[in-house]
Amino acid sequence: MRSDIIIGQAADGSDIPVDIEELLASRLLVQGNSGSGKSHLLRRLLEESAKLVQQVVIDPEGDFASLSDHFGHVLIDGASYSPAEIEALALRIREHRASVVLSLEGLEVEQQIRCAAQFLNGLFDAPRDHWFPALVVVDEAQMFAPSVAGEIGEDTRRLTLSAMTNLMCRGRKRGLAGIVATQRLAKLAKNVAAEASNFLMGRTFLDIDMQRAADLLGMERRQAERIRDLERGHFLGLGPAISRRPLAVKIGPVQSGPRTVESGLLPPPDVEAADMEALLHEELAVAAPPAPPPPPPRPVADVAEHIERAAPGVATAEPADMPSHTESQQAIDRILSQMAQEDGATFRSPSRLYQDFATRCRQDPGVAIPLDLTEFRRRFAIASASLDHLDPALRAQIESLGTNLSDDVLAPFLVIARAAAEGLDEPDEEELARVYGSSSTGRIRRLLDHFERSGHIVVRNEFGGGRRIFVPGLEEVTAGR
Ligand SMILES: Nc1ncnc2c1ncn2[C@@H]1O[C@H](COP(=O)(O)OP(=O)(O)O)[C@@H](O)[C@H]1O
Ligand SMILES: [Mg+2]
């Protein structure tokens, strides 16, 4: 089978081939400043080889989605899947030799990195029977294999570096050929860059990147200036799949085209200021995103129980010398709220807390029957979310929204819902950390993601970095407050 593709033309107009079979064995590194034409180059390579080999694209900016229209790549929106699902998808992609684009566009940076790493690990861990050859293209690779720690969490950095190192250093045996593009060589982890034997170097401004590029191309430092003068779409190539000597190439046209963004100048439209203002505000309310759907109705049994709790004594009659149901519940509430306010209580294990609770109940003559562990955990969560000062209807509403949440995440949800009911944009971070029993910002972010996926909250990021957290189902109660 023919394994060459034409990547572009030399200065004299002759075609420059790239040997894809060779590329699978020797990998490729592309460098160039933003706008130098890296993504275009990757697209040309992908389009021309789409019929020859399976392709997997890690696409942080949503640039490659249109490959699916022209070449049948399956589009995977990273934001729609859990980590476990992303890994499972990666395994199936290997099994079925599907060409895909993993779009990370809808995610925050750290989540983009984690999603890509999880996905790459899945590709890498596929069983031996599924080690088919595939190009794995990673655009903006400095994000996924950063040379210095930067702002991402340490565990994320380790996760992604090991995934990228696996791809570039140990992927070959498994059929995976890494093709990475970066704006700056100095920002890309050295061991990831070092594994590529083919290079395409585009326009580069900074001396440090230019020198490293010249070194990789085996050019003398004096000649490195050439790299600064390259035009958009022009690259210097070297490597077993391209050429034995540095070779200038102008990358050829593409069929699928990136998302076009108008560049250059475009005069503003000729519209009166007042008309423009009207245009922008016309039916704005209709254009704004609709309110999230209300939560499912509360199960009848729950409501009945709630009513019984609020109006006790109707259904149960205690012997005269025992505290009444109401008295007992009040005593329990007292103990719970006392415990919830104690320093460090939420950081203790549930079983320790429960033991403590049981002891206090035994010593309190007001308590008729203590709670079992399950009931205790829910009531403790409710107590630590300090809902007492809310009006009873609102409180019941908030509690009912959390009915199907597990005990360990109930308290933080209630705190979020309380903040929303009080008209705050988002809950107090410290309080959230306290009731969740964890001050790890990473854990709390994952918790919010979890609530968002399960539809318990809607997060709206606003310009200027602010955000608002909405709790679907609270609107009717809080409207007009
Ligand atoms: N070889 C080329 N031929 C035609 N247009 C190109 C070529 N290379 C890049 N472009 C155009 O230049 C712009 C920037 O290219 P892009 O690939 O997005 O750069 P980068 O990914 O390096 O930031 C895009 O609009 C792209 O279509
Ligand atoms: Mg790009």
Side-chain angles (χ1 to χ4, degrees):
M1 186 165 72
R2 187 186 65 94
S3 76
D4 278 0
I5 59 138
I6 305 299
I7 192 76
Q9 282 73 39
D12 64 5
S14 58
D15 286 343
I16 306 285
V18 168
D19 182 342
I20 297 296
E21 199 170 343
E22 179 58 44
L23 198 65
L24 281 169
S26 51
R27 297 164 297 273
L28 170 67
L29 169 64
V30 182
Q31 184 208 236
N33 289 144
S34 175
S36 60
K38 299 179 300 298
S39 300
H40 179 100
L41 183 159
L42 294 176
R43 180 183 293 277
R44 169 82 187 184
L45 184 79
L46 288 162
E47 289 187 354
E48 297 297 307
S49 63
K51 295 243 157 53
L52 299 177
V53 66
Q54 183 189 354
Q55 310 183 323
V56 176
V57 186
I58 310 283
D59 180 14
E61 305 190 329
D63 277 339
F64 294 92
S66 62
L67 283 175
S68 77
D69 303 332
H70 292 73
F71 298 90
H73 291 61
V74 177
L75 204 57
I76 296 175
D77 175 12
S80 314
Y81 301 96
S82 71
E85 286 170 339
I86 280 289
E87 267 194 59
L89 268 169
L91 289 171
R92 291 192 188 169
I93 286 164
R94 291 287 264 155
E95 179 182 358
H96 300 293
R97 299 197 291 125
S99 285
V100 303
V101 174
L102 173 67
S103 169
L104 303 170
E105 201 183 14
L107 294 167
E108 279 178 50
V109 175
E110 187 143 351
Q111 296 305 319
Q112 289 188 320
I113 295 172
R114 296 190 74 88
C115 180
Q118 222 99 32
F119 183 75
L120 289 174
N121 282 338
L123 296 179
F124 188 80
D125 290 338
R128 188 177 280 272
D129 288 350
H130 302 157
W131 289 359
F132 304 112
L135 298 181
V136 181
V137 170
V138 184
D139 202 0
E140 305 294 347
Q142 73 282 346
M143 258 175 77
F144 306 105
S147 53
V148 291
E151 300 197 336
I152 56 172
E154 184 54 29
D155 61 327
T156 304
R157 197 174 78 94
R158 270 205 219 117
L159 180 74
T160 187
L161 271 181
S162 102
M164 287 293 285
T165 310
N166 278 342
L167 169 67
M168 292 303 275
C169 306
R170 289 188 279 280
R172 179 180 167 187
K173 211 171 93 190
R174 293 158 197 256
L176 301 173
I179 295 188
V180 298
T182 181
Q183 297 182 12
R184 299 206 43 206
L185 269 173
K187 286 196 168 175
L188 187 68
K190 281 219 171 78
N191 63 334
V192 166
E195 292 302 322
S197 310
N198 299 285
F199 310 103
L200 283 162
M201 301 296 175
R203 184 180 51 190
T204 303
F205 296 128
L206 291 180
D207 286 346
I208 172 174
D209 298 315
M210 215 166 61
Q211 293 301 349
R212 282 192 62 192
D215 286 347
L216 289 173
L217 291 173
M219 286 165 54
E220 288 191 26
R221 301 214 158 192
R222 282 182 292 114
Q223 294 176 297
E225 283 294 323
R226 253 182 99 185
I227 301 176
R228 208 194 302 268
D229 298 331
L230 286 168
E231 285 175 43
R232 162 180 295 169
H234 289 252
F235 287 78
L236 291 174
L238 177 75
I242 307 169
S243 160
R244 289 161 185 262
R245 292 197 183 75
L247 183 78
V249 52
K250 177 180 189 321
I251 306 301
V254 293
Q255 301 166 48
S256 57
R259 224 179 1 196
T260 46
V261 180
E262 203 62 56
S263 59
L265 298 178
L266 181 66
D270 189 14
V271 181
E272 291 288 320
D275 293 346
M276 183 59 102
E277 188 179 349
L279 206 57
L280 296 182
H281 289 88
E282 194 177 60
E283 302 206 21
L284 191 60
V286 181
R298 210 170 151 186
V300 175
D302 273 16
V303 178
E305 191 199 0
H306 200 87
I307 292 169
E308 197 217 317
R309 226 190 269 156
V314 180
T316 43
E318 279 92 13
D321 57 339
M322 287 281 278
S324 74
H325 184 78
T326 328
E327 284 162 0
S328 180
Q329 289 303 322
Q330 283 169 348
I332 287 175
D333 277 340
R334 233 180 5 252
I335 295 174
L336 286 170
S337 71
Q338 206 169 39
M339 285 180 67
Q341 277 159 26
E342 286 169 10
D343 253 3
T346 49
F347 289 80
R348 295 168 66 194
S349 78
S351 57
R352 276 286 177 75
L353 274 175
Y354 182 65
Q355 275 173 15
D356 186 3
F357 169 74
T359 311
R360 293 185 201 209
C361 285
R362 275 197 301 277
Q363 292 163 355
D364 190 325
V367 179
I369 310 160
L371 309 171
D372 65 18
L373 177 61
T374 327
E375 179 69 357
F376 165 74
R377 290 190 66 182
R378 293 198 78 77
R379 295 275 293 274
F380 182 74
I382 292 169
S384 51
S386 328
L387 304 179
D388 335 325
H389 63 280
L390 298 179
D391 80 58
L394 182 56
R395 182 180 164 163
Q397 166 94 4
I398 289 179
E399 284 180 31
S400 79
L401 291 174
T403 21
N404 55 4
L405 283 172
S406 61
D407 307 331
D408 54 332
V409 297
L410 179 60
F413 171 74
L414 296 176
V415 164
I416 294 170
R418 196 195 70 216
E422 287 169 342
L424 301 175
D425 285 351
E426 57 178 319
D428 179 62
E429 256 172 56
E430 259 176 45
E431 185 183 12
L432 198 58
R434 183 180 61 78
V435 298
Y436 191 33
S438 165
S439 20
S440 147
T441 46
R443 279 197 68 198
I444 290 179
R445 202 181 34 248
R446 281 197 291 283
L447 177 73
L448 293 182
D449 287 347
H450 169 73
F451 285 152
E452 208 178 357
R453 269 198 303 275
S454 63
H456 283 88
I457 66 172
V458 174
V459 179
R460 200 169 76 197
N461 290 305
E462 296 181 338
F463 287 115
R467 68 174 177 193
R468 279 199 76 164
I469 301 183
F470 296 87
V471 175
L474 269 188
E475 296 77 19
E476 318 89 90
V477 191
T478 51
R481 260 162 214 272

